Amino acid sequence: MSAKEKILKLENPKWVQSLFANPKLAVIWLLLRLYVGRQWLMAGWAKLGNSAWVGENAGVAVSGFLQGALSKASGEHPDVQAWYAWFVEHVALPNAKVFSYMVSIGEFLVGIALILGILTGLAAFFAGFMNMNYLLAGTVSTNPILLVSAILLVIAWRVAGWIGLDRWVLPKLFARQIGQKD
């Protein structure tokens, strides 16, 4: 196949195929998946056990976090962009209780899914989405590392869950989707 034909077919280079689609490298993705999954599981678990996140005082902790984000939205070089501050002020804060449950449960479920290797690409997407929101709210911490890790797991979705439940779940899901029998 000529170089022009490869470009027209948009084929990945061999090294990309090897890194992101070769089950022999699934151990690398397992280690990254377990690291990211543990981070999310522990963060979600801590929130689920805290009444300021879920329960009688739900919304208190997330309101404090969001108020902190708003305080970073002013000045010459704000950490929080004006459009995101608008979202925080007009959407997230008025619905702090709902967001509190969404964050707590979402972090926990993403952690479980990544650790078990089930719907890994989807779980990694939501991990990245949450990391991006934390970064947009002006919180750095480990979020850049977790965001890059989530992006890599999304790209490697075919083998990232190979040593996990995706090895069996994905073929069943895709077989049913295209009308094949189990």
Side-chain angles (χ1 to χ4, degrees), residues 78-98:
D79 290 338
V80 176
Q81 298 295 304
W83 69 270
Y84 197 77
W86 183 94
F87 168 78
V88 167
E89 186 175 2
H90 294 94
V91 178
L93 269 172
N95 299 293
K97 189 171 186 172
V98 172

Side-chain angles (χ1 to χ4, degrees), residues 19-174:
L19 183 60
F20 294 114
N22 185 347
K24 291 179 183 175
L25 297 179
V27 171
I28 293 170
W29 299 112
L30 170 67
L31 295 174
L32 184 62
R33 199 184 80 220
L34 290 175
Y35 167 74
V36 175
R38 183 181 186 281
Q39 298 303 309
W40 285 113
L41 179 70
M42 298 307 289
W45 184 253
K47 288 174 180 69
L48 289 172
N50 184 335
S51 66
W53 283 94
V54 296
E56 62 192 51
N57 297 318
V60 171
V62 81
S63 291
F65 175 80
L66 295 171
Q67 290 292 346
L70 285 178
S71 72
K72 299 174 187 177
S74 59
E76 192 173 324
H77 300 289
D79 290 338
V80 176
Q81 298 295 304
W83 69 270
Y84 197 77
W86 183 94
F87 168 78
V88 167
E89 186 175 2
H90 294 94
V91 178
L93 269 172
N95 299 293
K97 189 171 186 172
V98 172
F99 274 82
S100 190
Y101 277 94
M102 285 175 32
V103 168
S104 303
I105 295 168
E107 287 181 354
F108 183 76
L109 291 177
V110 161
I112 292 285
L114 288 173
I115 289 170
L116 295 177
I118 187 163
L119 302 177
T120 302
L122 189 61
F125 170 80
F126 283 111
F129 178 77
M130 287 188 288
N131 281 126
M132 183 56 71
N133 277 280
Y134 299 150
L135 287 167
L136 288 169
T139 304
V140 179
S141 184
T142 60
N143 289 307
I145 293 167
L146 291 173
L147 176 61
V148 170
S149 299
I151 291 168
L152 291 172
L153 288 169
V154 168
I155 294 169
W157 71 273
R158 289 179 286 181
V159 294
W162 186 258
I163 303 174
L165 295 178
D166 277 348
R167 186 174 186 174
W168 295 278
V169 171
L170 292 182
K172 299 272 187 205
L173 286 176
F174 287 119

